């Protein structure tokens, strides 16, 4: 009897352990498959461009009636706290959530140029310092009120009231007629047209005045192809088709549900289980897994429009810091093999760069030399700077960047810079951004080509982010101002090239490393959604359709 | 008993007052500026000044503290800096979800745990005892997030029986709601179940060996009566203490389980608020959790008296 019990007990124990081992085995199997299949990823991603072209051809082949109907479920792993009062939306990410319902005067096309949306055309006059918009006729807000020059003016005023930098250059506005709005600028600003046209999203003044700001935040009333349906905070936002949308025959979908799963692993499982149709994804290992499965289209955002660049920056404003010496800053560049880091850490899901923006973008200057990996040169420069034996410094980093930080620490150790990686939380890092820091931190920047606007947010003396810890050379400030005053695109590009040369080759204010290429993973039956095709924070919900 | 309850309630008020000071001080000492988090990298100095004043963060710290406490006493938790929503409303939507999911897990762990503990004690040294003890040890030792990921892999991705994530009230969609609840509830109940099982078993073992149990047996009482009426009641005191602690945990929610299964409860709210330094939410959540824990402790103390009439408070 005792023996029988013992055998029974052992059998139970073994089967119990076996169950867990099989489960664990199942999961590790999949990751092994995925990692060994690394080549596939590049293939699939480059396939995606062909997929996209085939999607386009699909869309042209499909008749309009084929496109109608269905619910598109997508996940954006980001917080969303203000749906309907865009003047107080404080980053560009929420735009993805509100694109179905709110629209701006213009949005970017694939080349990064503005294309008409609620404005049909615009005219800029640098001499007179004016921008005049011709607005689209026959457009109504979802509450049935008209969109016209008065409502556009009211919306821009809301942005001015909360001192949004995008509208800071506006001095006054004139309604010339029902559909013509003229903006008078305080001084000419070459970034004003882009900022105002893309960032100011229109809501119904009537709905806002009747219900107040708090109501508006939770109830977006715009002119978009979809009407707000429901917002379960931190869970999901849903929209239903706008039957009276101004673009004839659109939209195609019946409904859009945008969920907010913050855990990427959960979201990927949800995508695999068919609960969602697409998702934004950052984790390169998860991207590889999806890629290896061959069941999804991965859309890589590689045009740099709206992307966030990752670099390194030392506290050059402190005269006692080694980084106040330009030779040390240049040595930093030569000491780190950015290309190798990009391949190993980012696994190809990022574009390495030696300046602000990705190669081929508007302000990208091919003549910038940058700092190709050369540890011997780095040592020489350190010697010339008075640090023949290197020096010790701190490097503040968030836990999620542990691998990159450790690699950088290793590179710098090889030229004699002893780096102590201080892992801290994002709130502490944010505090550094707003003040100054000691040693090195990552330099996150909107790597878009409009340098006076985006680079100025860091390099201008009165800027907030990073400005306290970096030097502000007079030459760079003058160039940024010149670019701001540029009267046409060519002139702005020429000055932008000079800025890149000066900031990176001459002063080495920061070390640009790479522009992470965000990936949108989706089911192959989802078409023309526009995710990652233009600006990173915008898509085309009116064109999206699901193949049966 | 009444004077004991009043005395404990007064102590609870003092504890909560100290909690307000502690959480307020800690949150204001932690580095980071919520306005910078809110405004992002395009913020200008003017904007920062505008929003700082709007949320009253430009006032002296003491003024901020007393203003917060006086508002809380009037039932107003203030407006979240990051979520831009009334904190009372925010908690009112999150707390019921956490309590519901946690409550189900609690019931499962208490009922199953106590039953398993009693059975293991009664069958001490036998196969069933070993089975229960080993399972309980495994339950305590296995990381919950790992079990969660395996559960999703097996039941959602491979078998397709259960959804990967989400929460739906049963009144909205019964079938979907139940399916979404199964994995998180089972996972949430794993550790408490194991702890209760072990605690009940060891408490029962101690009681079963007492003289009065032997006396009961020699009197010819039925084994069922001895175990349930005489042994279990006396073994309950340490178990009740554990149940009280577990009950307090209900309100805080499980960050891991809520995160893995995308359940919009108090745990995820606390984490998001902490990361974004939305200290008004953190302060309010901690205060609510502290209140519930203090009341649970009080309830446990009162329960002692009912379970064991020899315990009387003066």
């Amino acid at each position: 009897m005792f023996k029988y019990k013992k055998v029974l007990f052992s059998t139970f124990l073994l089967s119990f352990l076996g169950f867990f081992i099989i489960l664990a085995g199942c999961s590790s199997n999949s990751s092994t498959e995925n990692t060994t299949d690394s080549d596939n990823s590049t293939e699939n991603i480059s396939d995606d461009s062909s997929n996209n072209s085939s999607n386009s051809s699909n869309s042209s082949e499909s008749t309009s009636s084929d496109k109608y109907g269905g619910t598109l479920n997508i996940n954006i792993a980001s917080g969303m706290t203000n749906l309907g009062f865009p003047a107080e939306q404080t980053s560009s990410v929420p735009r993805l959530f509100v694109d179905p319902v709110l629209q701006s005067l213009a949005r970017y096309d694939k080349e990064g140029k503005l294309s008409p949306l609620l404005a049909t055309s615009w005219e800029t006059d640098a001499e007179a310092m004016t921008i005049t918009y011709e607005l689209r006729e026959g457009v109504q807000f979802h509450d049935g009120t008209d969109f016209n020059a008065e409502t556009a003016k009211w919306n821009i005023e809301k942005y001015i009231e909360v001192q949004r930098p995008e509208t800071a250059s506006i001095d006054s506005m004139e309604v010339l007629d029902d559909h013509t709005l003229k903006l008078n600028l305080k001084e000419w600003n070459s970034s004003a047209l882009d900022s105002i046209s893309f960032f100011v999203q229109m809501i119904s003044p009537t709905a806002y005045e009747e219900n107040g700001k708090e109501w508006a935040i939770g109830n977006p009333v715009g002119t978009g192809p979809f009407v707000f349906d429901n917002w379960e905070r931190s869970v999901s936002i849903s929209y239903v088709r706008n039957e009276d949308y101004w673009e004839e025959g659109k939209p195609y979908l019946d409904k859009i549900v945008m969920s907010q799963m913050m855990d990427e692993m959960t979201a990927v499982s949800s995508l695999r289980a068919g609960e969602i149709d697409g998702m934004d994804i950052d984790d390169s290992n998860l991207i590889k897994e999806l890629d290896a499965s061959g069941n999804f289209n991965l859309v890589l955002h590689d045009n740099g429009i709206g992307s966030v660049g990752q670099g390194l920056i030392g506290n050059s404003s402190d005269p006692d810091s080694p980084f106040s010496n330009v030779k040390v800053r240049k040595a930093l560049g030569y000491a780190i093999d950015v290309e190798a880091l990009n391949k190993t850490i980012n696994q190809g899901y990022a574009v390495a760069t030696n300046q602000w923006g990705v190669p081929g973008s508007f302000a990208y200057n091919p003549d910038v030399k940058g700092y190709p990996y050369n540890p011997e040169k780095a040592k020489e420069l350190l010697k010339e700077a008075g640090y023949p034996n290197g020096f010790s410094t701190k490097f503040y980093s968030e836990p999620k960047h542990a691998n990159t930080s450790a690699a950088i620490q290793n590179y710098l150790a090889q030229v004699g810079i002893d780096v102590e990686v201080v892992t801290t939380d994002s709130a502490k890092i944010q505090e550094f951004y707003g003040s100054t820091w000691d040693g090195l931190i990552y330099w996150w920047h909107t790597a878009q080509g409009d340098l006076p606007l985006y680079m100025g947010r860091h390099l201008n003396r009165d800027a907030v982010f990073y400005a306290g810890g970096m030097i502000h050379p007079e030459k760079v400030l003058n160039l940024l101002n010149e670019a701001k005053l540029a009267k046409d695109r060519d002139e702005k590009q020429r000055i932008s090239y000079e800025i890149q040369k000066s900031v990176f080759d001459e002063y080495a204010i920061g070390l640009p490393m790479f522009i992470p290429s965000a990936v949108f993973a989706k089911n192959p039956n989802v078409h023309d959604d526009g995710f990652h095709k233009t600006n990173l924070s915008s898509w085309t919900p009116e064109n999206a359709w699901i193949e049966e | 008993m009444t004077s004991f309850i009043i005395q404990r309630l007064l102590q609870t008020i003092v504890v909560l007052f100290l909690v307000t000071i502690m959480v307020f001080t800690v949150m204001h000492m932690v580095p980071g500026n919520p306005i910078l988090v809110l405004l992002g990298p395009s913020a200008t100095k003017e904007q920062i000044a505008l929003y700082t004043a709007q949320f009253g963060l430009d006032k002296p710290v003491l003024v901020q503290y007393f203003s917060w406490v006086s508002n809380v006493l009037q039932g107003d938790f203030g407006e979240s800096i990051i979520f831009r929503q009334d904190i009372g409303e925010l908690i009112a939507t999150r707390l019921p979800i956490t309590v519901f999911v946690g409550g189900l897990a609690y019931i499962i762990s208490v009922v199953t745990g106590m039953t398993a503990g009693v059975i293991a004690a009664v069958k001490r040294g036998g196969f069933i005892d070993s089975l229960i003890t080993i399972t309980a040890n495994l339950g305590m030792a296995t990381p919950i997030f790992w079990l969660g990921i395996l559960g999703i892999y097996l039941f959602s991705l491979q078998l397709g029986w259960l959804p990967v994530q989400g929460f739906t009230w049963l009144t909205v969609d019964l079938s979907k709601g139940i399916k979404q609840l199964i994995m998180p509830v089972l996972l949430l109940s794993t550790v408490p179940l194991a702890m209760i099982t072990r605690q009940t078993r060891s408490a029962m073992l101690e009681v079963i060996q007492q003289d009065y149990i032997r006396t009961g047996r020699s009197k010819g009482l039925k084994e069922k009566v001895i175990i349930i009426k005489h042994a279990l009641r006396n073994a309950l005191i340490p178990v009740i203490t554990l149940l009280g602690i577990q009950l307090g945990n209900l309100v805080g929610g499980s960050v891991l389980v809520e995160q893995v299964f995308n359940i919009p409860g108090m745990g995820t709210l606390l984490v998001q608020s902490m990361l974004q330094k939305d200290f008004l939410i953190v302060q309010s959540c901690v205060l609510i959790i502290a209140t519930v824990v203090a009341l649970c402790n009080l309830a446990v103390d009162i329960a002692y008296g009912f379970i064991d009439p020899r315990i009387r408070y003066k």
Side-chain angles (χ1 to χ4, degrees):
Chain A
M1 186 65 183
F2 177 73
K3 253 190 173 175
Y4 163 75
K5 275 186 180 175
K6 212 173 164 184
V7 169
L8 199 69
F9 175 69
S10 310
T11 316
F12 160 77
L13 198 66
L14 283 173
S15 53
F16 196 79
L17 284 172
F19 172 73
F20 277 99
I21 289 165
I22 288 166
L23 275 184
C26 288
S27 90
S28 66
N29 260 351
S30 91
S31 67
T32 319
E33 270 171 32
N34 294 331
T35 43
T36 51
D37 221 346
S38 58
D39 283 347
N40 237 352
S41 66
T42 352
E43 233 171 72
N44 233 342
I45 282 165
S46 50
D47 269 2
D48 186 66
S49 45
S50 58
N51 275 338
N52 284 314
S53 51
S54 73
N55 286 349
S56 314
S57 62
N58 264 349
S59 35
S60 54
E61 278 165 22
S62 306
T63 62
S64 281
S65 58
D66 291 341
K67 296 180 177 180
Y68 285 102
T71 299
L72 179 67
N73 290 285
I74 48 179
N75 185 67
I76 308 292
S78 171
M80 178 66 209
T81 55
N82 172 1
L83 270 185
F85 189 53
E88 290 195 9
Q89 274 168 4
T90 49
S91 81
S92 56
V93 177
R95 198 187 162 102
L96 286 175
F97 288 106
V98 296
D99 260 357
V101 68
L102 303 184
Q103 293 184 310
S104 48
L105 294 172
R107 63 183 171 192
Y108 290 102
D109 64 14
K110 286 175 188 175
E111 280 75 44
K113 289 180 185 164
L114 283 178
S115 69
L117 196 58
L118 287 179
T120 51
S121 64
W122 44 83
E123 206 178 287
T124 57
D125 187 337
E127 295 301 328
M129 298 187 295
T130 59
I131 300 172
T132 307
Y133 288 104
E134 286 300 325
L135 306 178
R136 196 173 293 281
E137 294 184 28
V139 177
Q140 285 194 328
F141 290 104
H142 299 154
D143 61 354
T145 55
D146 288 331
F147 167 75
N148 52 35
E150 280 295 349
T151 54
K153 179 172 176 266
W154 180 91
N155 273 282
I156 296 171
E157 277 166 356
K158 288 290 160 204
Y159 277 64
I160 296 171
E161 275 172 26
V162 294
Q163 304 186 20
R164 283 282 291 256
E166 293 88 350
T167 50
S169 54
I170 299 174
D171 185 41
S172 62
M173 288 183 276
E174 292 170 59
V175 173
L176 300 183
D177 62 44
D178 253 11
H179 293 91
T180 311
L181 179 65
K182 184 175 164 190
L183 311 183
N184 301 305
L185 307 184
K186 292 171 190 162
E187 63 171 352
W188 177 245
N189 183 339
S190 62
S191 308
L193 177 68
D194 277 49
S195 301
I196 298 162
S197 309
F198 181 70
F199 285 104
V200 179
Q201 291 174 299
M202 303 292 162
I203 62 168
S204 160
T206 312
Y208 179 92
E209 303 289 4
E210 279 175 5
N211 302 291
K213 187 169 89 179
E214 294 314 312
W215 180 89
I217 283 174
N219 295 274
V221 181
T223 57
F226 291 85
V227 179
F228 172 67
D229 176 36
N230 184 42
W231 180 18
E232 208 181 325
R233 291 188 192 232
S234 301
V235 179
S236 66
I237 301 157
S238 62
Y239 300 103
V240 290
R241 185 184 149 83
N242 176 9
E243 300 295 345
D244 302 315
Y245 184 54
W246 54 267
E247 215 173 338
E248 210 172 312
K250 290 183 179 175
Y252 300 116
L253 297 165
D254 290 336
K255 192 172 180 178
I256 292 174
V257 180
M258 304 185 78
S259 56
Q260 287 175 272
M261 280 174 260
M262 302 301 277
D263 188 291
E264 277 204 341
M265 199 177 273
T266 305
V268 165
S269 300
S270 201
L271 180 68
R272 288 183 142 176
E275 292 174 359
I276 55 172
D277 303 300
M279 64 176 285
D280 249 335
I281 180 166
D282 292 325
D283 188 307
S284 49
N285 290 318
L286 290 174
I287 296 171
K288 272 185 176 270
E289 272 189 35
L290 284 181
D291 199 6
S293 75
N295 296 326
F296 303 97
N297 282 355
L298 304 181
V299 188
L300 203 68
H301 185 261
D302 51 10
N303 62 18
I305 309 168
S307 295
V308 175
Q310 181 180 7
L312 271 184
I313 188 160
N315 59 333
S316 51
S317 65
D318 177 2
D320 296 330
S321 162
F323 297 106
S324 63
N325 188 322
V326 66
K327 288 182 176 167
V328 173
R329 299 198 296 270
K330 288 182 177 179
L332 182 76
Y334 284 120
I336 300 169
D337 189 347
V338 172
E339 293 283 349
L341 263 184
N342 192 34
K343 276 181 196 149
T344 51
I345 306 276
N346 296 326
Q347 303 188 55
Y349 298 111
V351 181
T353 184
N354 59 10
Q355 55 191 289
W356 194 279
V358 295
S361 57
F362 172 73
Y364 189 88
N365 181 357
D367 294 333
V368 168
K369 292 191 179 78
Y371 305 95
Y373 182 53
N374 188 343
E376 288 312 312
K377 182 130 189 180
K379 283 181 194 165
E380 248 174 63
L381 282 166
L382 284 174
K383 201 172 165 187
E384 286 172 28
Y387 299 99
N389 302 314
F391 58 88
S392 297
T393 190
K394 285 183 177 165
F395 177 20
Y396 295 92
S397 162
E398 288 178 62
K400 61 184 173 186
H401 302 122
N403 289 345
T404 318
S405 305
I408 288 170
Q409 182 186 36
N410 191 37
Y411 276 123
L412 294 181
Q414 287 172 30
V415 298
I417 303 175
D418 178 24
V419 173
E420 180 196 348
V421 177
V422 183
T423 305
T424 184
D425 66 303
S426 59
K428 177 74 184 166
I429 298 275
Q430 289 271 354
E431 202 173 73
F432 287 143
Y433 297 161
S435 53
T436 184
W437 60 94
D438 161 29
L440 282 168
I441 55 173
Y442 283 114
W443 188 18
W444 300 100
H445 52 277
T446 305
Q448 208 160 322
D450 194 338
L451 298 189
L453 177 64
Y454 294 104
M455 198 189 258
R457 286 176 180 174
H458 302 189
L459 271 85
N460 284 335
R461 278 213 182 89
D462 60 348
V464 175
F465 274 67
Y466 296 96
M470 60 165 64
I471 51 164
H472 302 274
E474 211 57 47
K475 181 180 173 184
V476 172
L477 294 180
N478 289 338
L479 283 169
L480 281 171
N481 196 43
E482 276 178 42
K484 184 174 139 188
L485 298 173
K487 295 194 167 56
D488 58 51
R489 210 173 149 82
D490 290 342
E491 187 187 355
K492 190 168 180 172
Q493 191 171 43
R494 183 182 54 73
I495 303 168
S496 297
Y497 280 10
E498 281 185 57
I499 295 173
Q500 300 267 32
K501 262 299 224 192
S502 181
V503 170
F504 298 111
D505 275 356
E506 189 179 352
Y507 292 104
I509 292 175
L511 174 71
M513 297 195 294
F514 14 77
I515 317 289
S517 312
V519 170
F520 187 75
K522 61 178 183 177
N523 283 324
N525 64 342
V526 176
H527 302 286
D528 300 338
D529 49 82
F531 272 100
H532 292 190
K533 290 293 176 192
T534 58
N535 188 294
L536 188 61
S537 56
S538 116
W539 59 299
T540 51
E542 77 280 13
N543 294 333
W545 61 283
I546 299 172
E547 198 177 335
E548 283 296 316
Chain B
M1 182 61 112
T2 313
S3 64
F4 167 76
I5 294 175
I6 291 169
Q7 194 189 338
R8 282 300 306 270
L9 278 174
L10 288 173
Q11 280 177 9
T12 305
I13 291 169
V14 175
V15 167
L16 292 179
F17 174 68
L18 291 174
V19 166
T20 62
I21 295 177
M22 197 189 70
V23 68
F24 186 88
T25 314
V26 168
M27 284 313 293
H28 280 76
M29 280 169 65
V30 171
N33 178 350
I35 301 300
L36 283 180
V37 178
L38 174 74
L39 293 177
S42 63
T44 60
K45 283 179 179 161
E46 294 76 22
Q47 268 188 306
I48 291 171
L50 184 80
Y51 282 88
T52 304
Q54 191 178 318
F55 287 100
L57 303 180
D58 53 344
K59 292 178 187 151
V61 175
L62 270 181
V63 175
Q64 287 185 47
Y65 171 75
F66 285 113
S67 150
W68 173 59
V69 170
S70 82
N71 286 338
V72 166
L73 287 175
Q74 294 167 56
D76 176 11
F77 289 98
E79 190 196 345
S80 152
I81 299 169
I82 304 295
F83 289 87
R84 308 299 305 274
Q85 194 184 0
D86 182 81
I87 294 172
E89 279 177 25
L90 201 57
I91 292 175
T93 55
R94 302 294 194 107
L95 189 59
I97 295 173
T98 293
V99 170
F100 177 62
V101 177
L104 286 175
Y106 185 76
I107 293 168
I108 290 174
S109 54
V110 170
V111 174
T112 322
M114 284 179 63
T115 313
V118 170
I119 294 171
V122 172
K123 308 275 182 190
R124 186 190 182 186
F127 169 71
I128 292 177
D129 179 27
S130 305
L131 175 70
I132 290 173
T133 310
I134 288 174
T135 312
N137 284 340
L138 271 175
M140 282 175 75
T142 314
I144 290 299
F145 75 91
W146 184 74
L147 266 187
I149 291 166
L150 289 188
I152 289 175
Y153 181 76
L154 180 67
F155 297 112
S156 306
L157 297 182
Q158 295 301 313
L159 301 172
W161 292 348
L162 299 173
V164 171
Q165 50 81 34
F167 174 83
T168 309
W169 282 109
L170 301 184
T171 46
V172 176
D173 188 332
L174 185 66
S175 151
K176 188 178 175 190
I178 289 174
K179 282 181 180 170
Q180 285 174 335
L181 276 172
I182 290 173
M183 272 201 283
V185 166
L186 287 180
L187 279 179
L188 265 180
S189 62
T190 305
V191 174
L193 194 156
M195 286 168 76
I196 293 168
T197 304
R198 287 180 56 82
Q199 186 68 56
T200 310
R201 180 182 176 273
S202 59
M204 280 293 287
L205 281 177
E206 205 173 298
V207 173
I208 282 171
Q209 287 162 5
Q210 300 282 323
D211 290 345
Y212 71 91
I213 297 291
R214 201 180 311 127
T215 311
R217 284 201 179 108
S218 61
K219 272 170 66 184
L221 285 177
K222 283 182 182 170
E223 190 65 15
K224 207 185 274 179
V225 176
I226 291 171
I227 296 299
I228 295 172
K229 197 175 170 189
H230 299 286
L232 183 59
R233 191 164 176 178
N234 281 296
L236 272 182
I237 296 290
V239 179
I240 289 289
T241 312
L242 183 63
L243 296 188
I245 296 167
Q246 299 292 347
L247 195 62
N249 289 347
L250 271 187
V251 191
S254 163
V255 173
L256 276 173
V257 171
E258 287 185 4
Q259 194 85 3
V260 168
F261 293 100
N262 195 33
I263 296 170
M266 288 286 279
T268 43
L269 178 67
L270 251 176
V271 170
Q272 284 172 5
S273 311
M274 277 296 291
L275 290 176
Q276 298 180 307
K277 224 190 158 237
D278 196 336
F279 49 74
L280 273 179
I281 294 188
V282 179
Q283 287 166 199
S284 306
C285 287
V286 170
L287 191 60
I288 288 171
I289 292 167
T291 309
V292 173
V293 170
L295 292 178
C296 283
N297 283 340
L298 178 62
V300 167
D301 286 347
I302 296 168
Y304 287 160
F306 285 104
I307 291 160
D308 188 345
R310 289 170 300 180
I311 299 173
R312 285 288 177 262
Y313 300 103
K314 287 182 182 170

